[in-house]
Amino acid sequence: MNIGDELPPLEVRITREQLVRYAGASLDFNPIHWNEHFATKVGLPDVIAHGMLTMALSGRIVTDWLGDPARLVDFSTRFTRPVVVPDNDEGALVEVTGKVGAMTDEGLARIDLTVKFEGKTVLGKPQALVRP
């Protein structure tokens, strides 16, 4: 593992069905994640994905690359832009790329991610710390 190494890109689709399943698992039943009328009434363009769902799906790029999710030590981000999920079978396409950005004094690798929806970044400063 070297600084600059790139992870294989990942594309994930988020569908309304996934939003319902995630709401049940997380107990986050905020209507912005399932009710178009409510979401648009509060100023959103449509139903949006849960930020933590977007984060979790994006983290797959790291765990898939590592082959052992136990090597993931930390994962953090900021939620900067919503992922709008249309009411169709295709859902919203989220594109994730990553590379090794640094090695820490503790021997961990920092993985810097870029997470985009419709060509725009949706997570701010997503980073993972991993054991090489």
Side-chain angles (χ1 to χ4, degrees), residues 10-12 58 93-97 114-119:
L10 174 69
E11 291 185 345
V12 293
S58 298
L93 178 65
V94 176
E95 300 169 295
V96 188
T97 57
T114 301
V115 182
K116 294 184 176 186
F117 166 67
E118 294 184 337

Side-chain angles (χ1 to χ4, degrees), residues 62-108:
V62 177
T63 56
D64 287 354
W65 180 64
L66 291 171
D68 177 7
R71 292 172 52 197
L72 176 64
V73 175
D74 186 59
F75 186 34
S76 62
T77 193
R78 295 184 189 124
F79 305 111
T80 57
R81 182 174 282 120
V83 173
V84 179
V85 181
D87 190 10
N88 61 34
D89 292 338
E90 291 180 24
L93 178 65
V94 176
E95 300 169 295
V96 188
T97 57
K99 68 178 178 178
V100 178
M103 300 298 288
T104 71
D105 292 338
E106 296 82 24
L108 300 174

Side-chain angles (χ1 to χ4, degrees), residues 118-132:
E118 294 184 337
K120 297 177 183 171
T121 302
V122 295
L123 296 180
K125 202 175 179 183
Q127 294 181 331
L129 288 176
V130 302
R131 288 185 190 89

